[in-house]
Amino acid sequence: MNQSTRITKLITKALNAVGSAIGVTYTQYTSSELRRVMLELAEEGACDSQYEGCGYFNFGLVDNVHIDEMSDAFIAKNLIRNYK
């Protein structure tokens, strides 16, 4: 299995976990949809104190990481951990 296939499966698993938790069905399993969902959840307060605003997150030892600097795998694993 190549890297692209693994990332796509991870994105699908993450969006399905979020969808099951909040009762939404996603039809696009893309990097942009993954990021959109992460930001939407953050803006609604679902990321606790991790979200700083304007697309920036604070993950403990790492301050002020913009969502564009995060890998798809990192975002997907974070969503899976929080919503599965």
Side-chain angles (χ1 to χ4, degrees):
M1 184 182 318
N2 66 30
Q3 183 70 15
S4 177
T5 303
R6 281 193 293 258
I7 295 297
T8 301
K9 286 186 175 190
L10 197 56
I11 290 171
T12 301
K13 185 176 179 179
L15 292 175
N16 285 338
V18 171
S20 293
I22 64 173
V24 174
T25 302
Y26 297 102
T27 57
Q28 295 182 10
Y29 298 98
T30 62
S31 176
S32 59
E33 182 70 358
L34 181 72
R35 291 166 191 282
R36 185 194 68 75
V37 168
M38 176 84 164
L39 279 176
E40 185 176 298
L41 292 169
E43 289 172 353
E44 292 175 0
C47 293
D48 299 326
S49 62
Q50 293 177 340
Y51 189 59
E52 301 287 324
C54 297
Y56 286 92
F57 290 80
N58 180 343
F59 292 105
L61 298 175
V62 181
D63 291 338
N64 298 323
V65 177
H66 195 271
I67 194 163
D68 290 340
E69 298 174 62
M70 298 177 203
S71 69
D72 290 339
F74 177 83
I75 295 170
K77 288 176 183 177
N78 191 34
L79 289 175
I80 291 166
R81 182 177 58 251
N82 291 328
Y83 289 93
K84 187 143 184 173

